[in-house]
Amino acid sequence: MSGFVLAYGATDAAEVERMFSKIRHRGPYLSGIHANGKAVLAQNYLHADCPGAAPEAVRVPVASDRQPSVCLGYDGQMGNARRLAAPLGLEPGPFVEEQVVLGLYHQHGVGLFDKLDDAVFSFALVDDGKLLAARDVFGIKTLFYGYSDDTLLLASELKSLMAVTDKVFEFPPGHFMSETGELTQFGSLPSAPPEPPMADLGAVVAQITDIIDRSVRNRVDFRRPTACLLSGGLDSSVITYHAARLLRELQGPSARLKTFAVGTSDSGDLVSARVMAEHVGTDHEEVLIDLEQALGVLPEVIYQLESFDPSLVRSAVSNYL
């Protein structure tokens, strides 16, 4: 989870700094501000977003290797980064995803979105007075825009914009925006479910298993200390199973994935998570909370989450605690 803010137009450095200060939590490890013509772009990173990057040796926002005046504010995750990087002549390492976006932009312009078919992202790319901002089709990565007089503003979190204006909007998923502020749709989710598969059940199960396994392998490399939040439900149990197996493959049969379960003492989730952790063989820890603790952190959780969705708030309280 990284973050960025952008001001395009009659930019005010103090206004950008006020916006940026609201998302310091997204990047205490590495941050920077870049002025490019009408645009001022500020970016920050957590250490987990850029393992191997030395703060004293790199500058952010990330600039294009081909054209240093082109730079990118980015929050994303690509499952196919390695496959996309190779034809572009990019080596694995810190900021390879950012360089992939910049490389695809140089080659394809706004056609780059056709290549990002295994990615979630929000970004703002500045190119000598031109702007290209975008958000993934699923809307997984957050992005908001607004206006302060004639200046266009973009930010990873709503609170950044609210620090300087009340003219704010959610950036729609599957769209990109130019420097004019015009939104253009580049993709959408299917309007109807697919036809039921006609293959036999065993073949369908094998295909789904392969998709999940490849997804985990493309996104988790254990270069940093890694754990699973395990609720005992279907999603987290399946991911935990594949991640634990991958860890043993990489680090030996005795390696044990760290898992956490969070809940009240009478929570059925804790029981289910305990059963799953024993089955998979993880190093499991339970975090017990009570109702007063949950209620006490609700204002802070909702402020950071920027959502009132009940299921999202419930899980976010557990994450926070």
Side-chain angles (χ1 to χ4, degrees), residues 1-5 13-34 40-49 60-61 155-161 163 300 303-304 306:
M1 180 187 73
S2 51
F4 63 88
V5 303
E15 199 168 74
V16 173
E17 181 56 41
R18 284 201 304 277
M19 293 171 61
F20 200 36
S21 69
K22 293 294 184 179
I23 57 167
R24 295 292 187 199
H25 53 275
R26 281 179 172 254
Y29 181 70
L30 186 60
S31 65
I33 298 178
H34 175 75
V40 177
L41 179 63
Q43 169 84 57
N44 53 21
Y45 287 96
L46 296 170
H47 197 181
D49 290 316
V60 296
S156 296
E157 295 189 19
L158 185 61
K159 58 181 66 67
S160 288
L161 297 178
E300 178 67 15
Y303 172 76
Q304 299 296 350
E306 299 187 338

Side-chain angles (χ1 to χ4, degrees), residues 8 11 14-15 26 32 92 112 141-142 144 149 155 196 205 255 264 305:
Y8 185 92
T11 55
E15 199 168 74
R26 281 179 172 254
L112 68 90
K141 292 298 183 178
T142 54
F144 300 89
D149 295 325
V205 170
T264 57
L305 187 64

Side-chain angles (χ1 to χ4, degrees), residues 71-94:
C71 62
L72 180 71
Y74 178 78
D75 179 23
Q77 186 182 58
M78 291 183 196
N80 56 352
R82 282 173 288 188
R83 178 169 61 82
L84 293 173
L88 295 169
L90 300 171
E91 297 294 330

Side-chain angles (χ1 to χ4, degrees), residues 94-133:
F95 312 118
V96 67
E97 293 186 11
E98 288 85 338
Q99 291 297 344
V100 163
V101 172
L102 290 163
L104 291 174
Y105 171 75
H106 284 301
Q107 286 191 353
H108 305 286
V110 296
L112 68 90
F113 301 108
D114 294 336
K115 307 295 183 181
L116 300 178
D117 56 355
D118 189 13
V120 294
F121 56 83
S122 63
F123 68 73
L125 186 152
V126 178
D127 176 11
D128 285 336
K130 294 186 291 184
L131 170 67
L132 177 64

